[in-house]
């Protein structure tokens, strides 16, 4: 699949099959995350991969949508603030780094026929408890990882002219 095709194919999957994710596919997805660029190459992130089986109720306290626990795996990308690059004026780039890592995960997954959905609207306190995340590590984005059990909708996006400004062209 070429890259533009992949970008069009990826969508937020909100229904999953319980079919297992092959170990090689999981490793490919995680390796894509490892190769993601980060500011000053600090790689200030950690990835938690958890199985949903036997842990559904606890995981639902993190994000209470049934589809969150339908897939066999849930991934959390965490940031470590003290390791992240900060611009001279104090602007922190931790969230940018983590977003890119998660983006690589979602695109690699889509390339392998797997579904994902980035989730920011989770309960941080419960995530810390359920996944034993230490204070210096911040859970920033979650996604289920599994085979889609829904179909993509139409992509609703603004027009290029409303997003792009060509200056001094
Ligand atoms: C940073 C970020 C956080 C998101 N958080 C959630 C979330 O908490 N719950 C959810 O259902 N979708 C979440 N999404 C998915 C977006 O709603 C979705 O990407 C957007 O509507 C575009 O749809 P598409 O991914 O199918 O192209 C999030 C996406 C991003 C990029």
């Amino acid at each position: 699949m070429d890259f533009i095709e992949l970008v069009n194919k990826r969508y937020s999957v909100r229904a999953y099959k319980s079919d297992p994710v092959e170990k090689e596919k999981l490793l490919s997805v995680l390796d894509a995350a490892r190769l993601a660029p980060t500011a000053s190459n600090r790689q200030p992130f950690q990835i938690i991969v958890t199985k949903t089986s036997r842990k559904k109720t606890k995981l639902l306290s993190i994000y209470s949508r049934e589809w969150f626990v339908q897939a066999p795996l849930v991934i959390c990308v965490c940031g470590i603030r003290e390791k992240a690059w900060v611009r001279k004026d104090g602007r922190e780039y931790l969230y940018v780094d983590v977003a890119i890592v998660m983006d690589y995960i979602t695109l690699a997954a889509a390339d392998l026929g797997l579904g994902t959905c980035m989730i920011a609207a989770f309960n941080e306190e419960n995530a810390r408890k359920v996944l034993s995340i230490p204070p210096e590590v911040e859970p920033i984005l979650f996604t289920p990882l599994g085979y889609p059990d829904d179909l993509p909708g139409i992509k609703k996006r603004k027009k290029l002219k409303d997003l792009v400004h060509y200056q001094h062209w």
Side-chain angles (χ1 to χ4, degrees), residues 19-45:
D19 301 0
V21 171
E22 297 83 347
K23 201 174 168 189
E24 311 75 60
K25 287 197 177 184
L26 172 64
L27 287 177
S28 292
V29 167
L30 295 175
D31 209 45
R34 186 179 71 86
L35 294 170
T38 54
S40 193
N41 202 20
R42 295 281 185 93
Q43 303 166 63
F45 66 92

Side-chain angles (χ1 to χ4, degrees), residues 82-108:
E82 64 189 17
K83 293 195 174 161
W85 183 77
V86 180
R87 201 167 60 191
K88 269 189 196 152
D89 61 6
R91 176 70 72 219
E92 296 187 358
Y93 278 78
L94 179 65
Y95 274 49
V96 174
D97 289 342
V98 165
I100 294 169
V101 169
M102 185 54 105
D103 206 34
Y104 273 46
I105 288 175
T106 62
L107 289 168

Side-chain angles (χ1 to χ4, degrees), residues 5-168:
E5 207 181 326
L6 176 62
V7 167
N8 275 292
K9 190 184 152 191
R10 187 220 53 84
Y11 69 99
S12 291
V13 174
R14 296 191 178 89
Y16 293 86
K17 295 177 180 161
S18 59
D19 301 0
V21 171
E22 297 83 347
K23 201 174 168 189
E24 311 75 60
K25 287 197 177 184
L26 172 64
L27 287 177
S28 292
V29 167
L30 295 175
D31 209 45
R34 186 179 71 86
L35 294 170
T38 54
S40 193
N41 202 20
R42 295 281 185 93
Q43 303 166 63
F45 66 92
Q46 295 280 294
I47 300 169
I48 300 171
V49 186
T50 186
K51 289 185 178 171
T52 56
S53 58
R54 298 194 303 270
K55 223 203 242 155
K56 290 197 195 293
T57 310
K58 282 186 173 176
L59 288 172
L60 283 170
S61 76
I62 298 175
Y63 188 67
S64 62
R65 303 286 185 284
E66 202 48 48
W67 54 265
F68 183 55
V69 295
Q70 283 172 344
L73 301 172
V74 162
I75 293 178
C76 176
V77 182
C78 301
I80 305 170
R81 178 143 293 153
E82 64 189 17
K83 293 195 174 161
W85 183 77
V86 180
R87 201 167 60 191
K88 269 189 196 152
D89 61 6
R91 176 70 72 219
E92 296 187 358
Y93 278 78
L94 179 65
Y95 274 49
V96 174
D97 289 342
V98 165
I100 294 169
V101 169
M102 185 54 105
D103 206 34
Y104 273 46
I105 288 175
T106 62
L107 289 168
D111 194 39
L112 297 167
L114 292 164
T116 56
C117 180
M118 289 195 206
I119 295 163
F122 61 89
N123 182 308
E124 181 181 341
E125 199 184 329
N126 291 342
R128 288 186 175 283
K129 274 189 217 148
V130 172
L131 300 172
S132 308
I133 301 173
E136 69 278 12
V137 178
E138 184 185 351
I140 295 174
L141 282 170
F142 278 84
T143 181
L145 183 71
Y147 286 95
D149 199 18
D150 64 2
L151 293 169
I154 294 160
K155 281 210 186 293
K156 291 181 199 153
R157 296 294 194 266
K158 293 176 183 174
K159 292 191 165 52
L160 260 191
K161 71 173 176 56
D162 299 323
L163 297 165
V164 181
H165 307 273
Y166 296 99
Q167 294 214 331
H168 310 298

